[in-house]
């Protein structure tokens, strides 16, 4: 079983729609959860971080965390063509440790 | 300069060459990371340094040798690499183990 799993996609949504990206993880002791966006040929950039159960909103982005279900998601409202990228879910699995596990990423296409 | 800077951006080397990748962070962070990103694979953590001490060594072959002379600089020394080592090598930094990581632009490495 992969430690951090994401649907590889591609996920295609029309401009203005809500894009929903999902991620599951295997380590119940995980403490920190991150979503990164990576454009083709570029390095990952942080979109959201979340540390406790529930929702966290930042502009058009909402991260949702459910530790009981070992599930974290990212919602992108009013999707724009510029949101087209690969979205990486990352999980820090150890209390006090530095080992961050990345998922393989979900490719998102937003059609104009 | 701000952020995380990596040099060189591109590197082509033969299997018998010795080269080094350099990373510098201007964020005042305490931890620095090396990742390998191959096509269609998740980011693979290679090494982590916290306050100049190596805290993670993710079963990386000895032909990769990291060095962290101070909290702002990180090197990856390369020796006798294999064609399968061709990849994008990313450096990142973070304030601590629970904070998000900031990535450099990466070094695209090609082994002939």
């Amino acid at each position: 079983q992969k430690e951090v799993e994401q649907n590889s996609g591609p996920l295609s949504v029309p401009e203005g729609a809500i894009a929903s990206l999902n991620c599951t993880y295997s380590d119940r002791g995980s403490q920190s959860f991150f979503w990164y966006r990576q454009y083709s040929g570029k390095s990952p950039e942080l979109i959201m971080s979340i540390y406790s159960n529930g929702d966290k909103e930042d502009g058009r982005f909402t991260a949702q965390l459910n530790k009981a279900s070992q599930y974290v998601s990212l919602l992108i409202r009013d999707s724009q063509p510029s949101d087209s990228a690969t979205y990486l879910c990352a999980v820090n699995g150890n209390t006090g440790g530095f080992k961050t596990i990345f998922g393989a990423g979900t490719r998102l296409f937003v059609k104009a | 300069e701000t952020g995380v800077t990596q040099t060189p951006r591109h590197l082509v080397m033969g299997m018998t060459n010795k080269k080094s990748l350099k990373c510098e962070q201007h964020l005042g962070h305490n931890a620095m990371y090396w990742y390998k990103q191959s096509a269609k694979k998740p980011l693979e953590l290679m090494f982590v340094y916290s306050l100049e001490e190596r805290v993670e060594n993710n079963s990386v072959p000895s032909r990769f040798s990291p060095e962290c002379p101070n909290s702002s600089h990180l090197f990856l020394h390369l020796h006798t690499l294999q064609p399968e080592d061709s990849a994008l090598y990313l450096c990142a930094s973070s304030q601590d183990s629970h904070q998000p990581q900031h990535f450099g632009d990466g070094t695209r490495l090609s082994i002939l």
Side-chain angles (χ1 to χ4, degrees):
Chain A
Q1 181 188 7
K2 294 179 184 176
E3 294 181 80
V4 176
E5 288 206 58
Q6 296 181 253
N7 188 325
S8 62
L11 173 66
S12 184
V13 300
E15 184 174 0
I18 295 175
S20 178
L21 306 165
N22 304 314
C23 173
T24 58
Y25 59 94
S26 60
D27 185 350
R28 284 196 170 274
S30 300
Q31 300 289 318
S32 310
F33 307 85
F34 309 98
W35 282 99
Y36 291 85
R37 176 176 64 198
Q38 187 172 24
Y39 292 113
S40 181
K42 301 292 186 181
S43 60
E45 55 180 329
L46 180 72
I47 297 294
M48 296 279 287
S49 56
I50 187 166
Y51 302 94
S52 55
N53 281 329
D55 295 359
K56 179 181 178 183
E57 185 175 320
D58 183 1
R60 295 187 296 112
F61 299 95
T62 299
Q64 300 173 317
L65 175 61
N66 184 326
K67 290 186 178 180
S69 300
Q70 296 174 244
Y71 174 92
V72 59
S73 66
L74 179 70
L75 299 178
I76 306 174
R77 289 181 299 281
D78 188 24
S79 296
Q80 302 297 309
S82 59
D83 294 326
S84 298
T86 296
Y87 289 80
L88 306 176
C89 173
V91 177
N92 182 306
N94 299 312
T95 301
F98 287 86
K99 189 171 184 179
T100 301
I101 308 298
F102 281 79
T106 298
R107 291 177 63 196
L108 173 67
F109 289 108
V110 181
K111 299 173 293 185
Chain B
E1 289 193 59
T2 58
V4 180
T5 303
Q6 289 187 244
T7 54
R9 293 293 310 277
H10 302 274
L11 179 61
V12 179
M13 56 187 287
M15 294 198 296
T16 58
N17 292 155
K18 289 184 181 180
K19 296 286 186 183
S20 296
L21 309 184
K22 178 183 176 182
C23 177
E24 183 175 1
Q25 59 101 358
H26 306 271
L27 300 169
H29 288 166
N30 293 320
M32 296 187 76
Y33 309 72
W34 279 118
Y35 288 92
K36 176 183 179 183
Q37 189 173 37
S38 304
K40 302 190 185 301
K41 286 187 176 181
L43 273 168
E44 299 173 52
L45 180 65
M46 299 177 73
F47 302 103
V48 184
Y49 278 81
S50 175
L51 298 172
E52 301 152 47
E53 178 183 346
R54 193 189 308 182
V55 294
E56 288 284 348
N57 180 346
N58 217 25
S59 302
V60 180
S62 59
R63 58 185 182 269
F64 295 91
S65 176
E67 178 189 2
C68 186
N70 55 61
S71 60
S72 298
H73 293 85
L74 185 65
F75 295 90
L76 187 63
H77 303 299
L78 315 173
H79 175 52
T80 321
L81 295 193
Q82 304 299 309
E84 61 266 28
D85 297 322
S86 298
L88 179 67
Y89 288 83
L90 290 161
C91 174
S93 70
S94 69
Q95 182 58 38
D96 58 46
S97 61
H98 293 292
Q99 298 303 313
Q101 295 168 31
H102 297 257
F103 286 84
D105 289 334
T107 295
R108 176 70 61 183
L109 177 65
S110 298
I111 306 301
L112 301 178

